[in-house]
Amino acid sequence: MSLEKTAPDAIQEMLQPLENGQFQFACHPGVPCFTECCRDLKLLLTPYDILRLKNHLGLDARTFLDQHTNTELDVRRNLPMIYLRMQDNPRKTCPFVSASGCQVYPDRPAACRIYPVARASRMHRLHGTVQEDYFVLHEAHCRGFEESRAWSVQEWTQDQGLEQYHHFNNQWMEIITHPKLLQENGISEKQQQMFFLASYNMEKFLDFVLGGRFLDLFDLPEGMAKAVVDSDDALLELAFLWLKFSLCNEPVLKIRGR
Ligand code: SF4
Ligand code: SF4
């Protein structure tokens, strides 16, 4: 299903097709609208966004979540979703914006990186491939479209450092859209807690892996048990495997002795 069909009405009107696979745009401190878009946002944070932001700020996940986010339950799946909390001021500005720009720029969320490109992606469950469609989200207040620089989506993806974000966000999308999570009664409270832990709180998830019977129970891929201690990215890979195994009944982890 295309983004044009699934996006809210207000956004559908702003979506424009790429012209010859390209769009014209630039965003820099010289544009008259600089930082104007960093306010009054409903900005969904993915697990990888949270990991990058909390590390940038030198916070543990719990403190980051308490200080900077709101949690809302997704009504269809009963899954807790995390949103960046705007500041309590008349303009509802992002907590990380300043007159000189984004203060967390190297680790800004994927949604901030990808704009003005809108990406509709879905996982083909039989082939395991991600299918993608791209549009340009042309918002009236954004003067970046008056700039002359032309980009292909590939150039923009590379320039904005999006590959690593897509790598993790595709896996998370596969979990949260999995048919198993769309059962009539939704997931249980215990499963909700497991989802929250493995998606958003890497310190607690590491405690869960190292402190209980996890490593006795599962025969992890070679080197993974050590890697998760040294690398947040490896830990998030394991967290997603755990969610696919435990919530989606996918045989992606091997139980010892079986
Ligand atoms: S995180 Fe940075 S780029 Fe994103 S809305 Fe906030 S200030 Fe703007
Ligand atoms: S409104 Fe557009 S051009 Fe202006 S700062 Fe935001 S993204 Fe950049």
Side-chain angles (χ1 to χ4, degrees):
M1 196 176 290
S2 77
L3 181 60
E4 282 169 309
K5 287 177 188 143
T6 56
D9 289 351
I11 290 183
Q12 280 184 33
E13 288 167 14
M14 293 185 248
L15 289 174
Q16 296 184 355
L18 299 171
E19 283 184 29
N20 301 319
Q22 291 200 315
F23 62 99
Q24 197 174 309
F25 181 80
C27 177
H28 52 80
V31 292
C33 52
F34 190 55
T35 73
E36 189 51 37
C37 52
C38 298
R39 55 183 286 273
D40 202 8
L41 297 170
K42 179 99 179 174
L43 204 163
L44 179 74
L45 296 176
T46 67
Y48 190 61
D49 287 332
I50 291 169
L51 191 58
R52 293 280 294 255
L53 282 170
K54 67 110 181 152
N55 285 347
H56 183 101
L57 297 167
L59 299 174
D60 61 72
R62 187 69 265 169
T63 307
F64 173 78
L65 293 171
D66 288 347
Q67 288 184 357
H68 294 298
T69 70
N70 296 323
T71 305
E72 290 179 22
L73 270 192
D74 167 88
V75 280
R76 272 189 87 203
R77 299 174 180 85
N78 238 2
L79 295 174
M81 295 285 129
I82 304 290
Y83 293 88
L84 186 62
R85 188 188 303 142
M86 298 293 120
Q87 294 194 85
D88 187 14
N89 62 32
R91 286 173 55 76
K92 298 183 186 157
T93 44
C94 171
F96 306 128
V97 72
S98 73
S100 57
C102 176
Q103 295 173 298
V104 294
Y105 191 80
D107 297 295
R108 66 201 183 285
C112 305
R113 290 169 189 267
I114 200 167
Y115 183 84
V117 173
R119 173 178 181 251
S121 62
R122 60 202 177 282
M123 179 68 67
H124 193 296
R125 293 200 184 278
L126 290 181
H127 305 143
T129 52
V130 176
Q131 296 162 296
E132 297 175 320
D133 290 313
Y134 291 98
F135 301 86
V136 172
L137 187 62
H138 207 302
E139 294 186 283
H141 66 259
C142 179
R143 306 281 297 274
F145 296 102
E146 296 167 17
E147 303 282 307
S148 58
R149 176 75 155 93
W151 303 87
S152 66
V153 169
Q154 193 182 13
E155 287 168 335
W156 187 252
T157 300
Q158 202 166 18
D159 185 77
Q160 296 295 307
L162 274 160
E163 287 100 338
Q164 189 72 343
Y165 283 80
H166 287 344
H167 169 76
F168 284 107
N169 293 346
N170 288 344
Q171 294 184 64
W172 195 57
M173 181 194 72
E174 189 186 344
I175 293 164
I176 65 175
T177 61
H178 197 283
K180 276 272 170 204
L181 304 187
L182 278 173
Q183 291 157 357
E184 203 177 322
N185 298 324
I187 64 171
S188 68
E189 201 177 322
K190 194 161 175 229
Q191 287 175 313
Q192 260 179 20
Q193 289 165 0
M194 183 198 306
F195 175 83
F196 192 96
L197 178 85
S199 296
Y200 306 131
N201 193 330
M202 284 303 100
E203 288 89 4
K204 285 278 181 212
F205 180 67
L206 185 59
D207 288 349
F208 169 71
V209 170
L210 300 180
R213 293 187 53 237
F214 193 98
L215 295 177
D216 296 334
L217 195 58
F218 294 108
D219 189 6
L220 298 184
E222 196 180 343
M224 196 173 220
K226 180 175 182 321
V228 298
V229 178
D230 299 334
S231 155
D232 283 342
D233 285 9
L235 186 58
L236 190 58
E237 298 276 2
L238 179 58
F240 287 160
L241 287 176
W242 166 242
L243 287 175
K244 284 176 197 170
F245 179 88
S246 58
L247 286 186
C248 309
N249 289 351
E250 298 277 355
V252 291
L253 285 175
K254 190 168 177 291
I255 297 179
R256 286 188 193 278
R258 286 199 192 166

